[in-house]
């Protein structure tokens, strides 16, 4: 459709069925339409005059994700539980017939990347969105897929630094557009996730794992086993939180992520150092028994943190297996017990609740303490650090009757709007025409 046609289609309800699928039957459709219409206006204002006459404008959506369990295990080929959520990045985009990708994300400067030299890593682009775009194109090209130029305007409800994977959602969004515009939509969600990890590791410069990208790309509740990172085993789990009377709440503590790259990088580095000490590349190739047999030597030569983080890895893998079985069995209490134990392990063994660079700022610790004030002793509840940690967000499973008290208590300290009560959406990365 042309720009004017797609805006009329949105306003006229053509995409309402897609919106319900993405945002739930109870979604405020008028508000959703307005959000997409504003994005279309933003796209038209920037790129309308430059579009080819036959340009076919498309709408896209990629969700953020919430990690459920398996904190910091994916980079060592571990197991995780995750879920896509109703907060998302949306995009209005069209092919431009050029060897150039131009993406304007609301609130940020426009990124421009030539598709002619994407295989080259540019040091000047490290930690910039343009590096992600270049890296996604490079990943597609390396695997024999087509790439090309397009214009895109994006807007996001997945707040940057929120622990809900705004960067992974953006990476997957670029891959989603490359797949649909130039490869007939045939690039699988798992393939897009792999290319997103490559982009972030090689071009962007962050040694991330693969969990965030996979959860954003695939959608729903998912169990992911990264034993073979090239072909992770992804299983969707038929689990409905709302039907259990439980709300998934994310609390944004507003912590500063600016100087945390070293903290994040230290976790996989410590785990891989332990693996190398045991003669392997990653911990998944070893065992907890081997680790414990060498515990004294690891403490002496690598330090206690290295041992603790490696032990956390093995315990998390065991927990994820048990939690997956609990969900399959419909055993909510056993599942939530695993969430609580995962949180305890992250705090005491992984130690990613605050950075030692600034011990005076411990927003996550405060949030966990306040969550305990509301939820300790409450049946069917759990809370834990969320995502990469060190700053940002916590996660809580809150019985519906306690949501108001939980929200009031946490927002009383972290500010109005800091608590997100979310739903889990069925779909990962989509072009909306495929749902309408």
């Amino acid at each position: 459709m042309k720009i004017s046609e797609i805006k009329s289609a949105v306003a006229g309800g053509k995409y309402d069925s897609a919106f319900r699928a993405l945002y739930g039957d109870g979604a405020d459709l008028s508000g959703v339409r307005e959000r997409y219409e504003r994005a279309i206006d933003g796209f038209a204002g920037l790129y309308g005059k430059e579009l080819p006459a036959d340009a076919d404008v498309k709408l896209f959506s990629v969700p953020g994700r919430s990690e459920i369990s398996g904190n910091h295990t994916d980079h060592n080929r571990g197991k995780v539980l995750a879920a896509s959520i109703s907060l998302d990045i949306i995009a209005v985009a069209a092919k431009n017939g050029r060897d150039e990708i131009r993406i304007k994300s609301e609130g940020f400067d426009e990124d421009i990347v030539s598709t002619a030299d994407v295989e080259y890593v540019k040091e000047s682009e490290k930690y910039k969105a343009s590096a992600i775009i270049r890296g996604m194109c490079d990943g597609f090209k390396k695997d024999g897929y087509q790439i090309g130029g397009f214009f895109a305007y994006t807007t996001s409800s997945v707040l940057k630094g929120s622990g809900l994977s705004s960067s992974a959602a953006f990476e997957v969004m670029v891959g989603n557009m490359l797949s649909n515009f130039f490869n007939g939509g045939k690039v699988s969600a798992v393939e897009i996730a792999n290319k997103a990890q490559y982009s972030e590791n090689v071009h962007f410069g962050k040694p991330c794992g693969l969990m965030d990208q996979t959860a954003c790309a695939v959608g729903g509740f998912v169990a992911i086993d990264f034993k073979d990172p090239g072909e992770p085993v992804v299983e969707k789990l038929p689990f409905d939180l709302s039907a259990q009377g439980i709300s998934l709440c994310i609390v944004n503590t507003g912590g500063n992520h600016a100087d945390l790259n070293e903290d994040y990088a230290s976790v996989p580095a410590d785990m891989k150092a332990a693996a190398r000490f045991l003669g392997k590349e990653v911990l998944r190739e070893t065992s907890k028994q081997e680790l414990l047999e060498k515990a004294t030597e690891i403490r002496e030569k690598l330090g206690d943190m290295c041992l603790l983080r490696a032990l956390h890895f093995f315990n998390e893998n065991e927990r994820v297996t048990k939690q997956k079985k609990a969900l399959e069995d419909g055993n909510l209490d056993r599942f939530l017990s695993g969430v609580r134990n995962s949180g305890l392990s992250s705090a005491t063994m992984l130690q990613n609740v605050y950075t030692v660079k600034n011990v005076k700022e411990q927003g996550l610790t405060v949030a966990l303490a306040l969550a305990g004030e509301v939820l300790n002793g409450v049946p069917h509840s759990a809370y834990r650090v969320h995502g990469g940690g060190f700053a940002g967000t916590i996660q809580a499973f809150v019985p519906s009757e306690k949501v108001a008290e939980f929200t009031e208590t946490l927002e009383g300290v972290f500010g109005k709007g800091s608590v997100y009560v979310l739903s889990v959406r069925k779909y990962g990365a989509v072009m909306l025409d495929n749902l309408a």
Side-chain angles (χ1 to χ4, degrees):
M1 291 186 223
K2 295 183 178 179
I3 295 174
S4 59
E5 293 173 336
I6 201 165
K7 184 173 181 181
S8 296
V10 169
K14 175 178 172 56
Y15 287 92
D16 282 2
S17 61
F19 295 153
R20 290 190 187 95
L22 295 179
Y23 306 112
D25 291 333
D28 173 12
L29 290 182
S30 63
V32 173
R33 291 189 208 106
E34 288 176 8
R35 181 185 179 210
Y36 277 82
E37 288 172 36
R38 287 195 301 271
I40 293 168
D41 287 340
F43 177 84
L46 279 172
Y47 305 120
K49 293 181 179 179
E50 298 185 62
L51 281 176
D54 61 347
D56 189 13
V57 181
K58 299 293 186 182
L59 303 178
F60 298 85
S61 169
V62 175
R65 72 94 184 99
S66 180
E67 174 194 282
I68 307 301
S69 278
N71 197 210
H72 275 290
T73 63
D74 55 333
H75 44 62
N76 268 254
R77 301 184 192 172
K79 301 177 182 181
V80 301
L81 289 176
S84 62
I85 57 174
S86 50
L87 301 180
D88 65 347
I89 294 177
I90 66 170
V92 184
K95 293 192 289 184
N96 60 23
R98 308 177 186 177
D99 293 330
E100 181 181 73
I101 294 173
R102 292 171 59 185
I103 300 179
K104 175 67 169 77
S105 297
E106 185 179 42
F108 298 91
D109 293 336
E110 182 186 44
D111 291 290
I112 303 175
V113 172
S114 169
T115 58
D117 62 349
V118 295
E119 65 270 26
Y120 300 108
V121 176
K122 293 193 173 183
E123 292 299 320
S124 61
E125 285 186 343
K126 290 285 187 178
Y127 304 117
K128 296 180 180 179
S130 55
I132 288 174
I133 299 166
R134 185 180 305 280
M136 291 303 299
C137 290
D138 184 21
F140 268 67
K141 195 172 180 179
K142 282 182 184 299
D143 287 345
Y145 289 111
Q146 299 299 309
I147 63 173
F150 59 86
F151 297 131
Y153 183 93
T154 80
T155 181
S156 178
S157 59
V158 186
L159 298 180
K160 186 176 177 62
S162 66
L164 299 170
S165 293
S166 58
S167 60
F170 181 78
E171 293 158 10
V172 171
M173 175 64 82
V174 175
N176 190 23
M177 291 187 282
L178 289 171
S179 175
N180 281 284
F181 281 147
F182 305 108
N183 298 279
K186 302 300 184 184
V187 187
S188 73
V190 173
E191 285 183 283
I192 289 174
N194 271 284
K195 291 166 179 52
Q197 184 197 28
Y198 169 81
S199 175
E200 189 159 345
N201 288 176
V202 175
H203 286 261
F204 186 77
K206 182 178 177 181
C208 70
L210 189 56
M211 184 271 286
D212 293 350
Q213 293 85 352
T214 303
C216 292
V218 173
F221 275 100
V222 289
I224 313 168
D225 188 337
F226 292 109
K227 184 175 184 179
D228 180 352
E231 295 185 18
V233 177
V234 180
E235 298 178 70
K236 282 202 173 189
L237 302 174
F239 182 70
D240 187 342
L241 269 183
S242 300
Q244 300 290 329
I246 306 295
S247 295
L248 173 60
C249 296
I250 302 295
V251 182
N252 187 357
T253 69
N256 184 7
H257 286 70
D259 298 317
L260 296 179
N261 283 325
E262 185 178 337
D263 292 283
Y264 294 132
S266 72
V267 178
D270 280 343
M271 290 183 180
K272 289 178 180 179
R276 287 193 298 271
F277 189 87
L278 297 173
K280 301 296 183 181
E281 179 184 355
V282 292
L283 287 173
R284 186 62 180 271
E285 297 173 338
T286 68
S287 68
K288 183 160 67 171
Q289 181 179 349
E290 292 178 83
L291 178 75
L292 294 176
E293 287 174 353
K294 298 287 186 179
T296 299
E297 294 175 63
I298 290 174
R299 291 187 67 202
E300 292 174 350
K301 296 181 180 180
L302 301 179
D304 287 341
M305 182 72 83
C306 193
L307 175 64
L308 287 168
R309 284 175 165 171
L311 189 56
H312 165 86
F313 171 87
F314 291 113
N315 290 343
E316 279 287 89
N317 264 10
E318 293 172 6
R319 261 189 293 273
V320 168
T321 298
K322 293 176 180 177
Q323 287 178 277
K324 175 177 173 289
K325 182 65 164 58
L327 291 178
E328 290 170 340
D329 293 344
N331 191 321
L332 182 62
D333 287 338
R334 185 151 40 94
F335 163 70
L336 290 175
S337 175
V339 173
R340 289 190 292 272
N341 288 331
S342 176
L344 181 62
S345 182
S346 292
T348 61
M349 298 172 69
L350 189 61
Q351 298 187 30
N352 66 334
V353 174
Y354 62 91
T355 174
V356 295
K357 296 175 184 176
N358 182 14
V359 295
K360 290 184 177 180
E361 183 179 325
Q362 295 195 36
L364 295 182
T365 314
V366 172
L368 292 168
L370 293 173
E373 290 296 313
V374 178
L375 298 177
N376 282 348
V378 175
H380 311 313
S381 69
Y383 54 92
R384 47 159 291 181
V385 63
H386 182 249
F390 298 108
T393 60
I394 71 162
Q395 173 194 84
F397 291 83
V398 184
S400 298
E401 66 273 13
K402 299 291 280 188
V403 168
E405 180 185 352
F406 181 87
T407 301
E408 181 180 3
T409 300
L410 274 295
E411 289 191 347
V413 173
F414 295 106
K416 190 171 179 59
S418 59
V419 176
Y420 300 88
V421 183
L422 304 176
S423 61
V424 174
R425 88 176 205 180
K426 178 180 177 181
Y427 298 96
V430 294
M431 184 169 71
L432 267 66
D433 282 350
N434 295 333
L435 297 179

